[in-house]
Amino acid sequence: MHSENPHEITPATRYGDPYYRPATARQPVILPAEIPPGVDWVTLPSGVRTLAYTQPMPPPPIPVSQPIPAWAKTTALLAPTVGGGIAAAGIGLSYAAPGLIAMSHALWSAAALIVAAVTAVPVLVRTARRSTGSRGGGSGAATHITQNITATGLFGRANGTINHH
């Protein structure tokens, strides 16, 4: 049985001897053309460079142009339109500002007129009734009407009487 150990064997170090140098083994020289595919030089964490099997690097992905989605085209086309509409509205409001201010003053005046009318009309009607009653246009005495309504039960029939005094 043939036993071949592929590992490098170094003799044990003599820690107490400051002049001790371990024997160096001569490695065979391999030319770069002789290195088989999938094998490459690697540096180990200890700093030693050696040959090792490596995983082949996958090729970089080739960028494929994707079609632009319809929603992106629509949004891109609508953005200048919306911006132009907002700009036009701003310009229109700047030209209309004096007219808008005048209309707001007119609306406040109309609101004040309506409030004055709602307040003044009942006062004028009440004053007109008093003046016609004191000039002899009526009997002088006010007519009083009383009404009595009675009902029995929650859904009973209501009966009422009206009295003129």
Side-chain angles (χ1 to χ4, degrees):
M1 172 171 204
H2 180 45
S3 158
E4 197 172 11
N5 194 347
H7 301 290
E8 179 182 341
I9 299 175
T10 56
T13 58
R14 292 184 235 151
Y15 294 107
D17 187 3
Y19 299 107
Y20 174 73
R21 290 188 181 169
T24 56
R26 288 196 42 100
Q27 297 286 332
V29 177
I30 299 177
L31 297 174
E34 297 175 354
I35 297 175
V39 176
D40 199 6
W41 286 102
V42 294
T43 304
L44 300 176
S46 64
V48 176
R49 287 187 46 122
T50 185
L51 289 172
Y53 289 105
T54 58
Q55 296 290 332
M57 293 295 293
I62 300 170
V64 178
S65 63
Q66 299 288 333
I68 298 173
W71 65 266
K73 290 180 184 178
T74 305
T75 304
L77 291 173
L78 283 178
T81 306
V82 172
I86 291 172
I91 292 169
L93 284 175
S94 69
Y95 283 128
L100 291 174
I101 292 170
M103 281 195 300
S104 70
H105 288 302
L107 285 174
W108 279 114
S109 299
L113 182 64
I114 291 170
V115 169
V118 167
T119 306
V121 167
V123 172
L124 291 174
V125 169
R126 190 176 305 136
T127 306
R129 281 188 185 171
R130 286 184 187 161
S131 64
T132 56
S134 62
R135 283 188 292 202
S139 63
T143 303
H144 293 287
I145 300 173
T146 58
Q147 185 176 13
N148 296 323
I149 299 174
T150 57
T152 57
L154 183 62
F155 297 106
R157 186 172 181 160
N159 295 319
T161 58
I162 298 175
N163 298 320
H164 296 278
H165 295 282

